[in-house]
Amino acid sequence: MEIVARIGGGSPVGRLMCHPRLPLIAALDSERPAVRVWDVGGQRLREVWRAGAESDVYGDEHGWAKFQRIPVVAWHPDQPWLVVKNEDGVLLWTPSGLSELDGLPPGASYHNLAFSPDGSTLWAAPGDEINSWEYSSHAIDVASGAVHAGRHWDTGVAVHPAGGLVATLSSDQGATHMLFARPSQVMRVLNRALILDADGYRTPVFSSDGRYFAIRGSAYEHTLEVFEFPTLRRVLGTVLGEPYPSDEVSDEWWEQHEAWSAHNIAFGTRPGVLWIGTPAGTLIELDVGTQEAVGHDLLAGAGITALSATATGELIVAGGAGELVLVAGFPAAEPAAGSTVAEFLADASDIPDGGNLDEHLILTDGTRTWQPGDLDTASAAADTDPTWLRLKVAINTLGE
């Protein structure tokens, strides 16, 4: 690996989103609701667009107040089009300029956006003025503007690299479901799902060969979990930094917690290798299979604030001093295994439209599996079990 391009002195970046097929990167500033687009063609870094640079900084805003101001961006899978939801509304950037996005329902406000894999539909998760537990998501036809209702989702959409399958999150404070779906005009949710403790997770990330996916979260600590696909078996579960304290949260714990980026992982072109950025500026190369790790002092002294993998196989790394670094020298990616998607689909079925998820989902936490209805009669849980399971048992046994 080698650094082939470096830009310094810019605004600190809190998240990087690479175009799935083109050498383009969207960068979200960490200090204010600003968005920048970078061209990384020819192993160089060239800024081509910026918006929100004069916006008010987040300052002391935390939690929901800050979350509402953070822009949401979504790349079209084939075209150099970026949909941006910010304080000015929902906009469309193309190399020709910026325009309002036509076809949205009047007064629509969304917390998340994603294009379907074929680019024909913009999937939109409901906004804060809508009771998201009762209101379905929108599937907006890009050509006609027609709006169709879909199931609730709230956190990004990850596309399996072999195609034919997407994954998203449906979160609750007690537990989060990672839902798998066949992409069509709306997501056709399947009956196999992961269940994760608490909420606050980030969009899942698939490895380039499609045999693993990783999830960062949660709302309470910087968990990192890696699962095999299609088995959904958990092969890694750890906490980055210090675990959430069992007693009072100290200023020291909060300081180290804030030092970690929530968008600091990426799968590169090497099968089974996960890259992790740290607050010390070290880029960790983790072999998921052997769980052996090697550290690379990429930005020593300046913490890594965001990390992503480009469509052409490089890593793009953001540092706390406002620098962007392009790292190359990796082998070509192996083709994604389409057989893994076929195997998953053969072992799953569509949940009927309007069907209650609880009545259909076969849930796993990566170790145990619950058939539909199993959790309604669960009557025992250990202190080491996840919070959601202990709460479920407490509710089931209430009044016995």
Side-chain angles (χ1 to χ4, degrees), residues 7-13 36 38 302-303 305 317-325:
I7 297 288
S11 301
V13 170
R36 289 177 285 168
W38 295 80
T305 61
V317 185
E323 65 268 52
L324 283 181
V325 173

Side-chain angles (χ1 to χ4, degrees), residues 72-294:
V72 174
V73 298
W75 283 112
H76 189 279
D78 299 304
Q79 301 296 327
W81 302 346
L82 182 73
V83 173
V84 179
K85 178 262 181 184
N86 61 14
E87 294 175 313
D88 296 324
V90 183
L91 308 173
L92 175 65
W93 174 85
T94 73
S96 300
L98 191 66
S99 61
E100 292 187 4
L101 189 64
D102 296 329
L104 297 181
S109 175
Y110 299 114
H111 277 163
N112 224 312
L113 300 166
F115 277 99
S116 62
D118 65 1
S120 66
T121 305
L122 181 66
W123 291 326
D128 59 287
E129 80 285 356
I130 300 170
N131 185 335
S132 60
W133 311 120
E134 299 176 357
Y135 190 82
S136 60
S137 61
H138 282 165
I140 305 164
D141 185 274
V142 173
S144 68
V147 179
H148 304 271
R151 286 192 176 275
H152 173 265
W153 64 277
D154 54 50
T155 306
V157 175
V159 180
H160 191 281
L165 188 77
V166 298
T168 187
L169 302 182
S170 180
S171 308
D172 196 353
Q173 189 172 7
T176 293
H177 288 150
M178 178 173 173
L179 303 175
F180 297 90
R182 292 186 299 105
S184 58
Q185 188 174 68
V186 297
M187 287 183 268
R188 298 296 179 186
V189 175
L190 300 164
N191 68 341
R192 292 183 63 193
L194 272 177
I195 186 166
L196 307 167
D197 204 18
D199 61 351
Y201 294 89
R202 275 54 183 187
T203 306
V205 180
F206 279 103
S207 62
S208 61
D209 62 0
R211 296 188 181 275
Y212 294 103
F213 60 89
I215 307 176
R216 280 283 282 111
S218 61
Y220 300 97
E221 54 191 8
H222 287 293
T223 58
L224 170 61
E225 295 181 275
V226 182
F227 299 82
E228 281 184 338
F229 186 83
T231 65
L232 306 187
R233 183 176 70 90
R234 187 173 68 175
V235 295
L236 175 67
T238 189
V239 175
L240 305 178
E242 296 295 326
Y244 192 79
S246 57
D247 48 11
E248 184 179 355
V249 176
S250 66
D251 292 341
E252 291 76 13
W253 182 90
W254 188 252
E255 183 178 353
Q256 68 81 31
H257 178 81
E258 289 290 282
W260 282 92
S261 167
H263 302 284
N264 66 332
I265 63 170
F267 277 108
T269 57
R270 295 174 183 167
V273 171
L274 180 68
W275 298 90
I276 307 168
T278 75
T282 303
L283 186 61
I284 297 175
E285 179 182 356
L286 174 65
D287 186 304
V288 173
T290 65
Q291 298 199 11
E292 295 179 351
V294 177

